[in-house]
Amino acid sequence: MEDKILNTELLINKLLEEEEEFHHVNNPAADIKPVIKKYLGVPNHAEQLGNKIYFTDGDAKVEVVVVTDEIIRVRLAPHGVFLDEFSYAVPKLVHKDAAFILLENESEYIVSSRVVNCHIRKKDFFISFSDKKNHITSADAVPMHWEENVKFGGYYVFCTKTCATEESFFGLGDKPTELNLRGKRLKNWNTDAYSFAWNQDPLYRSIPFYISLNDNIAHGIFFDNTFKAQFDFGAEDKTKTSFWADGGELQYYYIHGPHMMDVVKSYHILTGTHPMPPLWALGYHQCRWSYYPEAKVRKITTGFRENKIPCDGIYLDIDYMDGYRCFTWNRKYFPDPKKMISELAAEGFKTVVIIDPGIRVDDNYSVFKEGKANRYFCRRSDDYFMEGHVWPGRCQFPDFTNPEVRTWWGGLFDELVEMGVAGVWNDMNEPAVFGAGTFPDDVRHQYDGFRGSHRKAHNVYGMQMVRATYEGLRTIMKNKRPFTITRAGYSGVQRYSSVWTGDNVASWEHLQLGNIQCQRLSVSGIPFCGTDIGGFSGEPDGELFTRWIQMGTFSPFMRAHSAGDTKEREPWSFGEPYTAINRKFIELRYRLIPYLYSTFWEHHRYGFPILRPIVMQEQDVLLNHFRQDEFTYGDKILICPVMQPGQTSRKVYLPKGKWYNFWTNEMADGGQETMVATPLETIPIFIKAGSVIPEYPVMQYIGEKEIEEVKLNIYYSDYEVNSFLFEDYGETFAYEQDIYLEKKFVVNGDNKKLTIQQSMEGLYTPRYEGYHFNLLGLPFKPGKIVADGKEITSFTTGKDKVTEFKFSKNFKHIEIYK
Ligand code: GLC
């Protein structure tokens, strides 16, 4: 027994060695010793301990846990010892009433939940998963395997599964490549990638989660490993899908579908959803590197109001600081920031400021002094500080994986919040270092008590920075929702922040890439995302900028941004006809705010993505696995951006069902392709029949006008369709105490009658009294309207066949008769 304990300790030390002993980086033995891959052999023992089931093969051990009916976690310990459970991505493993049984027959062990079976084959330790119809959805192609890492200690860990002929792959964050990842090999290692190119890999974020779709059945794999990791989707061998990492544990979650949407929703059960954003953050944001001095900022904000182009967010990039020192102000450019911010706020602008992780080495700078005195900055393995050059020159970097450092960092926002800053932009947090790229491998991290090197902490560094920012702001702002945006991230970053896709380029190719990246981020658990509209580097012409604004109108996060060495880049910078079109689309963004906000709620509460690739509408249509330029905004509005110069029409695929052309209200049958004209003034937008699309009046900024009524655009359908409207204060966390209203509308019709029903949940009472109903596409001219038993006599039907009337926001049942 004692021997066993001793052995276990030795093994743990050995595993930890990987984190502790970095002096061996140049161990010459590493280059001489042949590395041997070891594979799981034969499971000769199965044992259930609580909700965990262990299968042993001599030394190696595999742990299987049924997390929910649909999620099963698999872990491998090559020498039988598992490290303590800890994950930045999965803060709490919620075992949602996950009943299971362990079965055994001649050839396999089966761990069986109510929905999934996990099979462990006796002859060779192959692991596979099947549904209750015994349909195998995922299967090992070779047993899980590992290699000792003689340089660092620990193991390289590998998992290889079979890849079917028509299997498609989605997810994995912001990879700038085709939406379907089949045939690709990709790496996760957060990287500052200025002016990145199509197929460049890796970029800023690491999201080790993918969705496989084969034969109309989807499943997901979440490989929760923060080390440098790789994924191969049939690239090296088209019959195999592999994922592996340079260290850490082989630990993955199998997530059952059968629909892609089920997989994404379950992934959110593990990693959490985005909190509700402040309503203003769904408006338009204007950014540039940099707007300074103050007079320039005011010129821009005045420009918005004079041009009558709505805008809520105005950004200050690094030049607002004193010598790029975070949490300071350049008083020459901004003599009285508090006054400026409050005057901007009076005009409806929320000020967002940038913050970088590099803290200037300067003994006269309080942030540096505090960090130094408290040992908050990262150190190398020899205990010397990690130093590198970034914007301020020589810098040291807080160890955001240390909870004490996060609390300190969060507190530093006190003064900025007091000055009225409404949001914080977290940049350069891959972390980026000029010249070196990033930190050396041997930098030490506290890792919330699970100490480790930069090899382990690199991919979570940015996420922990924005977490520190978000949590700090949340404490300081009390019940007000903070707004944060980050460049780097790891799975779960959505609990703390929105993201943008980094330093893109003003090119048509990047418009296409941005479209794919936002869709991909959305299905990878990052709903609040957007691109630098117009392209960060380079010069867009008016047409490209306008086409980007049109697409960006339907990005969950909508911000124009540009590098300092480019020409002015505001929505009016290109003159007419561009200004008017940009205005029209930004106005449309504001009209649809209640729809976007409701979709956000569906994400927050239920785990739905906001943007949905067309394949999520109809995963059974194989062609849709490759159609990558159309998406739905929520599930009701189909967007087909225009992404070629001079394009006057484009092919649009309408998924099955009926769709209304948003511009003409004409109805078209889905399940087919159709050509749609694309003059510069429009992009193809279609609304699903049966939808209720709530609309606000155009405002120059959120809250400019009291909402007197909400317009409900109701698109006739002859089959039943549900829609949602979410309402609350828009800026507090009262929704966490059920102070919100979730309204559900059900629309159904035939050629004589249309029925609209409403039900509600929650405790919020909106201030407006009534709805303005806008009925579109009715196949008959209404003769009689009855609302909650009362006849409505004042309704009109215009030449455009749109019927309008008003009624109480509390209605339950309305019938419109021929
Ligand atoms: C980085 C950011 C960019 C920002 C610039 C200056 O390149 O990605 O958005 O404007 O730094 O802070």
Side-chain angles (χ1 to χ4, degrees):
M1 181 68 182
E2 235 174 55
D3 266 11
K4 206 172 166 194
I5 293 173
L6 206 67
N7 237 338
T8 307
E9 270 176 19
L10 275 174
L11 275 168
I12 289 179
N13 282 339
K14 185 171 163 43
L15 284 171
L16 286 173
E17 234 173 50
E18 163 190 35
E19 338 295 358
E20 296 299 336
E21 298 296 323
F22 270 85
H23 331 296
H24 301 311
V25 174
N26 296 316
N27 178 3
D31 303 322
I32 302 162
K33 213 167 146 185
V35 179
I36 302 162
K37 264 197 186 148
K38 295 197 181 124
Y39 292 77
L40 282 173
V42 176
N44 49 30
H45 183 67
E47 186 185 10
Q48 184 176 337
L49 287 175
N51 65 349
K52 293 179 173 158
I53 305 138
Y54 294 95
F55 301 93
T56 322
D57 139 34
D59 274 356
K61 216 178 204 182
V62 170
E63 180 195 275
V64 174
V65 175
V66 178
V67 180
T68 69
D69 290 345
E70 294 81 16
I71 307 175
I72 293 188
R73 188 183 70 183
V74 176
R75 289 168 89 193
L76 163 74
H79 287 97
V81 177
F82 293 95
L83 290 174
D84 284 346
E85 282 194 31
F86 175 74
S87 164
Y88 282 120
V90 185
K92 294 192 271 317
L93 202 59
V94 196
H95 295 272
K96 272 204 176 162
D97 185 23
F100 67 90
I101 42 170
L102 170 63
L103 304 167
E104 184 180 353
N105 61 32
E106 248 172 48
S107 58
E108 55 185 21
Y109 297 103
I110 306 166
V111 179
S112 177
S113 82
R114 278 180 284 236
V115 174
V116 195
N117 301 317
C118 171
H119 307 256
I120 293 93
R121 201 153 78 184
K122 284 185 174 168
K123 74 170 190 252
D124 49 16
F125 229 131
F126 275 44
I127 296 179
S128 60
F129 299 87
S130 68
D131 60 20
K132 290 288 155 170
K133 291 180 199 139
N134 268 331
H135 179 94
I136 300 283
T137 49
S138 158
D140 280 350
V142 291
M144 295 198 278
H145 47 293
W146 63 93
E147 255 174 47
E148 289 214 21
N149 185 335
V150 280
K151 268 194 184 177
F152 295 102
Y155 309 95
Y156 294 93
V157 290
F158 305 82
C159 188
T160 299
K161 302 195 168 285
T162 56
C163 177
T165 323
E166 307 227 298
E167 196 167 350
S168 302
F169 299 92
F170 303 93
L172 226 64
D174 62 345
K175 303 296 182 195
T177 189
E178 279 71 25
L179 191 68
N180 182 347
L181 298 171
R182 177 158 192 128
K184 313 269 175 196
R185 175 178 280 203
L186 298 148
K187 188 187 287 176
N188 276 356
W189 185 251
N190 293 359
T191 304
D192 176 10
Y194 177 81
S195 292
F196 57 88
W198 193 285
N199 278 335
Q200 186 170 323
D201 181 55
L203 298 190
Y204 305 89
R205 274 166 290 280
S206 296
I207 313 294
F209 162 61
Y210 71 82
I211 305 163
S212 140
L213 181 55
N214 184 37
D215 205 7
N216 195 18
I217 296 182
H219 76 266
I221 296 286
F222 173 38
F223 178 34
D224 188 9
N225 181 309
T226 61
F227 283 76
K228 187 178 283 171
Q230 312 222 37
F231 293 81
D232 185 305
F233 301 105
E236 188 179 304
D237 173 342
K238 54 181 187 303
T239 66
K240 292 190 179 106
T241 304
S242 300
F243 49 93
W244 65 99
D246 284 7
E249 246 185 21
L250 180 48
Q251 161 177 243
Y252 70 88
Y253 296 84
Y254 166 85
I255 307 174
H256 196 67
H259 199 280
M260 285 175 76
M261 190 61 87
D262 303 321
V263 177
V264 173
K265 286 173 72 177
S266 283
Y267 172 74
H268 282 117
I269 291 177
L270 294 170
T271 61
T273 59
H274 200 295
M276 288 306 284
L279 195 56
W280 68 263
L282 299 183
Y284 176 78
H285 300 229
Q286 184 67 35
C287 186
R288 180 153 172 92
W289 179 14
S290 301
Y291 289 132
Y292 75 97
E294 178 175 337
K296 178 75 189 180
V297 177
R298 287 181 187 266
K299 192 167 164 242
I300 299 301
T301 53
T302 310
F304 274 96
R305 299 301 178 242
E306 280 176 3
N307 282 290
K308 293 235 161 308
I309 297 179
C311 180
D312 266 87
I314 184 82
Y315 283 60
L316 301 180
D317 204 330
I318 47 176
D319 298 285
Y320 79 90
M321 302 177 203
D322 173 16
Y324 306 135
R325 289 170 188 81
C326 291
F327 307 102
T328 67
W329 286 86
N330 180 320
R331 295 284 172 167
K332 196 170 108 215
Y333 299 147
F334 296 95
D336 191 346
K338 185 169 181 178
K339 182 160 169 272
M340 176 189 79
I341 293 170
S342 82
E343 285 169 11
L344 291 176
E347 289 161 27
F349 290 95
K350 288 81 187 168
T351 304
V352 180
V353 298
I354 197 168
I355 287 290
D356 289 334
I359 299 298
R360 187 184 162 89
V361 175
D362 171 357
D363 282 317
N364 295 314
Y365 165 39
S366 66
V367 178
F368 177 73
K369 278 196 296 188
E370 274 175 44
K372 184 176 164 186
N374 294 303
R375 296 176 64 93
Y376 287 158
F377 298 122
C378 295
R379 286 165 183 257
R380 304 285 300 269
S381 60
D382 55 6
D383 210 32
Y384 194 73
F385 289 106
M386 156 61 211
E387 289 200 347
H389 278 71
V390 219
W391 305 120
R394 202 177 133 204
C395 287
Q396 294 188 7
F397 302 82
D399 180 10
F400 294 110
T401 69
N402 180 342
E404 199 184 323
V405 176
R406 287 199 297 270
T407 308
W408 167 67
W409 181 263
L412 294 173
F413 290 96
D414 223 354
E415 213 175 290
L416 287 172
V417 172
E418 204 268 323
M419 283 178 171
V421 163
V424 178
W425 172 19
N426 296 251
D427 192 20
M428 305 290 277
N429 50 354
E430 291 68 34
V433 176
F434 294 157
T438 190
F439 296 179
D441 282 343
D442 68 280
V443 167
R444 323 290 316 134
H445 293 273
Q446 202 263 3
Y447 214 94
D448 278 71
F450 298 85
R451 288 175 55 85
S453 74
H454 197 63
R455 294 171 67 241
K456 179 163 92 171
H458 177 83
N459 283 338
V460 295
Y461 185 85
M463 170 192 188
Q464 294 311 302
M465 173 185 175
V466 74
R467 171 185 180 182
T469 305
Y470 180 80
E471 288 175 346
L473 291 175
R474 201 171 158 168
T475 311
I476 300 164
M477 293 166 86
K478 308 230 161 53
N479 194 27
K480 241 180 150 187
R481 298 176 203 167
F483 169 71
T484 42
I485 172 166
T486 180
R487 199 170 68 173
Y490 180 73
S491 289
V493 67
Q494 70 271 11
R495 300 195 300 274
Y496 314 113
S497 186
S498 65
V499 306
W500 92 106
T501 57
D503 296 341
N504 61 357
V505 182
S507 69
W508 290 92
E509 186 182 65
H510 263 269
L511 179 60
Q512 294 161 24
L513 258 188
N515 180 359
I516 297 173
Q517 285 182 295
C518 288
Q519 293 184 51
R520 197 196 309 291
L521 283 166
S522 299
V523 300
S524 306
I526 301 185
F528 202 13
C529 56
T531 57
D532 280 351
I533 291 175
F536 179 69
S537 61
E539 300 289 353
D541 58 11
E543 184 190 3
L544 175 58
F545 186 78
T546 290
R547 290 305 196 189
W548 215 314
I549 284 277
Q550 292 172 333
M551 185 179 84
T553 296
F554 303 98
S555 288
F557 173 63
M558 185 183 190
R559 182 184 79 162
H561 181 38
S562 49
D565 55 357
T566 59
K567 288 194 211 126
E568 309 251 288
R569 197 83 71 75
E570 290 78 48
W572 58 86
S573 301
F574 300 91
E576 296 299 350
Y578 307 107
T579 306
I581 303 170
N582 297 340
R583 179 187 302 112
K584 185 177 81 178
F585 270 82
I586 297 174
E587 286 180 353
L588 178 58
R589 168 88 179 186
Y590 279 74
R591 285 165 54 196
L592 292 174
I593 287 273
Y595 173 78
L596 175 57
Y597 194 52
S598 305
T599 307
F600 218 117
W601 174 252
E602 283 187 84
H603 163 78
H604 170 73
R605 183 166 186 189
Y606 304 105
F608 289 102
I610 295 177
L611 297 189
R612 307 169 189 192
I614 206 82
V615 58
M616 262 181 148
Q617 291 279 343
E618 279 178 343
Q619 65 178 36
D620 57 322
V621 180
L622 192 60
L623 245 181
N624 285 342
H625 300 205
F626 304 94
R627 261 190 262 261
Q628 53 186 13
D629 61 348
E630 294 181 26
F631 56 88
T632 61
Y633 185 58
D635 67 336
K636 304 283 191 292
I637 308 185
L638 177 73
I639 307 296
C640 312
V642 175
M643 293 177 299
Q644 304 286 344
Q647 194 173 347
T648 53
S649 64
R650 67 156 283 175
K651 217 187 253 172
V652 167
Y653 172 76
L654 297 174
K656 279 169 229 144
K658 292 191 172 117
W659 296 86
Y660 287 86
N661 182 318
F662 174 75
W663 306 106
T664 64
N665 292 335
E666 269 167 281
M667 200 180 69
D669 281 322
Q672 57 180 347
E673 283 182 336
T674 136
M675 279 306 274
V676 181
T678 56
L680 188 63
E681 293 72 31
T682 65
I683 56 168
I685 301 175
F686 288 84
I687 314 282
K688 201 182 249 176
S691 300
V692 176
I693 308 287
E695 186 180 325
Y696 276 175
V698 170
M699 288 187 251
Q700 296 308 301
Y701 56 90
I702 299 293
E704 184 201 20
K705 294 180 189 156
E706 176 88 16
I707 303 292
E708 282 165 4
E709 61 183 16
V710 171
K711 194 191 249 187
L712 296 182
N713 296 296
I714 298 168
Y715 291 83
Y716 170 86
S717 143
D718 56 8
Y719 47 89
E720 191 175 293
V721 176
N722 297 342
S723 302
F724 291 92
L725 172 58
F726 174 79
E727 297 175 320
D728 75 347
Y729 291 112
E731 55 174 24
T732 71
F733 284 98
Y735 69 89
E736 291 181 345
Q737 264 71 51
D738 294 344
I739 318 287
Y740 64 81
L741 263 195
E742 182 185 294
K743 297 170 169 175
K744 184 170 143 196
F745 303 108
V746 185
V747 170
N748 200 355
D750 56 36
N751 52 14
K752 292 200 199 86
K753 189 173 101 180
L754 178 73
T755 314
I756 312 160
Q757 293 172 73
Q758 177 180 241
S759 54
M760 304 184 198
E761 179 201 301
L763 305 172
Y764 175 73
T765 313
R767 286 219 277 223
Y768 65 87
E769 285 304 320
Y771 292 135
H772 177 142
F773 292 82
N774 219 16
L775 307 179
L776 301 113
L778 286 178
F780 52 83
K781 186 160 187 264
K784 184 174 163 190
I785 298 181
V786 181
D788 291 342
K790 275 189 275 178
E791 190 170 342
I792 296 184
T793 45
S794 51
F795 63 89
T796 58
T797 303
K799 266 202 260 116
D800 52 5
K801 295 197 190 137
V802 176
T803 297
E804 295 181 59
F805 64 95
K806 298 188 184 209
F807 195 68
S808 160
K809 66 180 180 202
N810 296 322
F811 87 91
K812 289 204 169 65
H813 193 100
I814 298 183
E815 276 166 345
I816 296 109
Y817 298 93
K818 190 166 172 176

